[in-house]
Amino acid sequence: MLQRQCLCRRIPMNDLRLVTNTPGSEAAPRDRLGRALRDLRISVTDRCNFRCVYCMPKEVFGNDYVFLERKEILNFEEIARTARIFSGLGVEKIRLTGGEPLVRRSLERLIASLAAIPGLDLTLTTNGSLLDRKARSLKDAGLKRITVSLDSLDDATFRRMNDVDFPVTRVLEGIEAAAAAGLAPVKVNMVVKRGMNEDSVLPMARFFHNTGHILRFIEYMDVGHTNGWRMDDVVSAGEIIEMIGKEMPLEPLDPNYTGEVAERWRYKDGGGEIGVIASVTQAFCRDCTRIRLSTDGKLYTCLFATEGHDVRALLRGGASDAEIRAAIAGIWSKRADRYSEIRTEATVKLHKVEMSYIGG
Ligand code: SAM
Ligand code: SF4
Ligand code: SF4
């Protein structure tokens, strides 16, 4: 078949996406929908000290659940090497996640090597349970920003949602410790599940109003295949904004950058900003620049993927950086994911990888 050629470089037009250079990157690949690769989420552990009902339900993640073995998980050198290769491909932002990233021992050592990658925005998402003790060392290691998940200020509701009886005060102390250590503004993520914590939306908004912390409401998603997701349990971003706006008037803000996950709003009284992540009711796949690296070194091009690509085999099999870079560029260039735009009752039932393993 006759292919159109780029006359200056003699390569098929279809492959041009692979050679679109951007400042700071050697070859920034584009996927099949023209999306650049900008964000890497790294799951540093599949373990967690919480059992949030929407993420790691106890009936599935009980005492007999088999987590990854030590030899299976990427070590810090392997993660840092992969991160440097991604940086060369145009990745500008890395988020460490899990599982609960702060349960991984000596995480500060990994943060220090990632922080040494020039021009990288380095952040981390945590449940906040260990943050009061760790905020200072994380900051000293080079962490720039932090997101803390907190689903309610009501202690009983929060304990019910984390399902390990963890008190809300400890997470609030963690948020304050993070701000005091200079990880401000702290972003606070609240997943809203109908019948569980939607009555916590307003108290959370009131509490964080005027604090400088940025509260973000996340629509409950059908990630994984164990949380028994139903559309009826989703409280839409529109509903949340309406609920808050009635009491504390809001106005929309422009995104900070293309592909920003949260839609931004600010209080008209100058009390700060909030965000809504409407991944179910207003899909934002068209701007999705994210890729995920699982704890055991598999790459997933979508949060709702059913299969990953094994990078660990390359890392441990003697591949050069150039070979790994080419492999990643190839994976990204074949990507056509847009799950949230095509979600149906059938896709909800797919055997998708769990969020605690792939990283949120
Ligand atoms: N353990 C850390 C934490 O909870 O912040 C990091 C990993 S967690 C998987 C990352 C984020 O995903 C958290 O903010 C969590 O609330 C969110 N999350 C988990 N399951 C979700 C679901 N089913 N729908 C929406 N958000 C979810
Ligand atoms: Fe653990 Fe985070 Fe999942 Fe909760 S949301 S179970 S804290 S990984
Ligand atoms: Fe990106 Fe997949 Fe989420 Fe769409 S569904 S925004 S492609 S991760």
Side-chain angles (χ1 to χ4, degrees):
M1 195 179 75
L2 196 64
Q3 280 193 309
R4 286 192 302 147
Q5 298 275 313
C6 163
L7 295 178
C8 55
R9 296 190 190 209
R10 296 270 168 216
I11 48 177
M13 287 295 241
N14 293 348
D15 288 345
L16 273 179
R17 290 175 183 142
L18 282 172
V19 294
T20 312
N21 284 333
T22 58
S25 67
E26 292 160 32
R30 297 260 169 182
D31 72 7
R32 276 164 53 195
L33 303 178
R35 299 167 295 190
L37 170 56
R38 293 273 176 261
D39 309 81
L40 170 64
R41 299 193 173 186
I42 303 175
S43 174
V44 294
T45 177
D46 59 335
R47 293 167 196 253
C48 185
N49 54 347
F50 282 13
R51 286 292 177 273
C52 300
V53 290
Y54 51 75
C55 178
M56 295 179 83
K58 257 186 188 162
E59 313 81 73
V60 179
F61 295 87
N63 288 339
D64 52 354
Y65 186 83
V66 184
F67 289 97
L68 292 168
E69 280 180 48
R70 195 187 169 88
K71 62 175 188 305
E72 293 178 280
I73 71 178
L74 293 187
N75 64 36
F76 289 163
E77 286 66 33
E78 289 167 333
I79 296 176
R81 180 181 173 206
T82 311
R84 283 193 292 274
I85 293 170
F86 269 105
S87 167
L89 281 165
V91 161
E92 298 161 344
K93 182 171 162 187
I94 290 185
R95 178 176 297 279
L96 298 181
T97 173
E100 173 47 40
L102 299 190
V103 303
R104 176 113 186 222
R105 207 175 306 149
S106 310
L107 188 72
E108 292 83 351
R109 203 159 59 75
L110 174 66
I111 289 177
S113 32
L114 297 180
I117 301 174
L120 199 67
D121 180 18
L122 183 60
T123 182
L124 175 148
T125 305
T126 172
N127 63 24
S129 58
L130 303 169
L131 196 53
D132 48 352
R133 299 185 242 153
K134 295 214 165 214
R136 172 59 57 190
S137 61
L138 293 171
K139 172 71 181 168
D140 290 347
L143 189 69
K144 297 206 170 66
R145 300 184 296 109
I146 200 155
T147 300
V148 182
S149 304
L150 175 62
D151 297 326
S152 181
L153 290 171
D154 178 69
D155 200 49
T157 306
F158 184 59
R159 285 177 196 253
R160 210 166 35 247
M161 288 188 82
N162 64 54
D163 215 10
V164 293
D165 220 20
F166 198 85
V168 78
T169 45
R170 292 275 306 283
V171 179
L172 292 174
E173 282 161 17
I175 292 173
E176 287 322 305
L183 291 166
V186 177
K187 286 185 181 157
V188 179
N189 275 0
M190 171 178 176
V191 175
V192 189
K193 186 172 177 203
R194 197 175 299 286
M196 195 114 219
N197 67 337
E198 80 254 47
D199 54 356
S200 298
V201 167
L202 267 175
M204 285 279 283
R206 288 182 199 124
F207 184 84
F208 287 106
H209 181 241
N210 266 324
T211 58
H213 307 318
I214 302 173
L215 178 58
R216 303 172 342 149
F217 300 92
I218 308 180
E219 288 180 352
Y220 171 46
M221 292 185 282
D222 56 320
V223 280
H225 59 280
T226 58
N227 68 2
W229 184 90
R230 295 175 324 140
M231 188 67 203
D232 287 351
D233 294 334
V234 177
V235 181
S236 75
E239 203 179 319
I240 292 168
I241 289 298
E242 195 185 329
M243 207 189 305
I244 299 171
K246 268 189 195 150
E247 179 174 317
M248 295 176 280
L250 291 161
E251 60 193 4
L253 277 173
D254 287 336
N256 285 312
Y257 51 88
T258 310
E260 189 169 30
V261 176
E263 183 184 293
R264 301 169 64 215
W265 293 79
R266 92 174 140 215
Y267 292 112
K268 286 188 179 168
D269 67 2
E273 76 172 79
I274 61 169
V276 281
I277 302 178
S279 32
V280 178
T281 62
Q282 297 164 47
F284 38 74
C285 301
R286 120 173 43 92
D287 291 326
C288 180
T289 56
R290 289 176 291 286
I291 195 163
R292 292 174 162 85
L293 180 65
S294 70
T295 315
D296 58 351
K298 290 206 181 74
L299 278 178
Y300 291 88
T301 55
C302 179
L303 178 57
F304 299 89
T306 49
E307 272 176 56
H309 306 265
D310 193 357
V311 173
R312 188 185 67 190
L314 296 174
L315 288 164
R316 295 185 181 173
S320 67
D321 283 8
E323 285 165 340
I324 298 174
R325 185 163 47 233
I328 295 171
I331 291 165
W332 187 262
S333 67
K334 291 190 186 73
R335 175 189 193 242
D337 302 285
R338 51 188 199 93
Y339 179 88
S340 290
E341 290 178 353
I342 56 169
R343 177 183 282 110
T344 61
E345 277 179 28
T347 65
V348 168
K349 293 196 189 94
L350 288 173
H351 202 86
K352 294 161 278 166
V353 286
E354 293 300 325
M355 199 170 191
S356 52
Y357 158 76
I358 193 177

